[in-house]
Amino acid sequence: MSDFVYFVGSSLDGYIAQDNGGLDWLTAFDSVEGLGASYKAFEAGVGCIAMGGGTYEWIRAHVPGQWPYKVPCWVFTHHELGVDDGADVVLVRGDVDTFAEELRRDAGEKDVYIAGGGSLAGQFLAAGLIDRIVLTIVPVALGGGVPVLGGNPLGVPSEFTLEGLTERDGTVELRYRRSMPPPAPGD
């Protein structure tokens, strides 16, 4: 079955973008040896993408006319957005758990990539739908911006187990898997 995977870069203080959506601080690390290969290996296992409307609009503004993904992309939005010719994009409104089975079906035997933003990832987390997190921390502090998981408290904490880490030129890629919930009393 498909995993829901949040693959993201973060500042030291837990932000994935500046308040204005700026990512120059993060893209400055694109040349770090191994980071691109790690993403390419991850991307090869992706069958479907989920992203928020802000992330979608950022991609369309920064890579105009060149939709970068070859797999179906579901955009969760409350706004009227356009779709570029040739882009396999579905615009949806509603709770993430409402679309979970359709996302898995679209992904087939591959994973569902939660591409951002932080608010959408936080919604997947709150719904218990994040199976793995691949978090690359870069050595930059922003002091504010878009929180890595939306910044909203969870009703019940979600626990993850560290599966591995890789350090590359001051960046650290952390790979986590959702911990299994403890057995109910009497089980």
Side-chain angles (χ1 to χ4, degrees), residues 46-59:
V46 170
C48 179
I49 299 170
M51 71 176 61
T55 300
Y56 175 70
E57 285 293 281
W58 188 93
I59 291 169

Side-chain angles (χ1 to χ4, degrees), residues 181-187:
D187 281 353

Side-chain angles (χ1 to χ4, degrees), residues 91-105:
L91 303 173
V92 295
R93 287 185 175 86
D95 295 330
V96 295
D97 53 349
T98 302
F99 297 97
E101 288 310 311
E102 291 176 84
L103 289 164
R104 276 196 174 100
R105 190 172 34 253

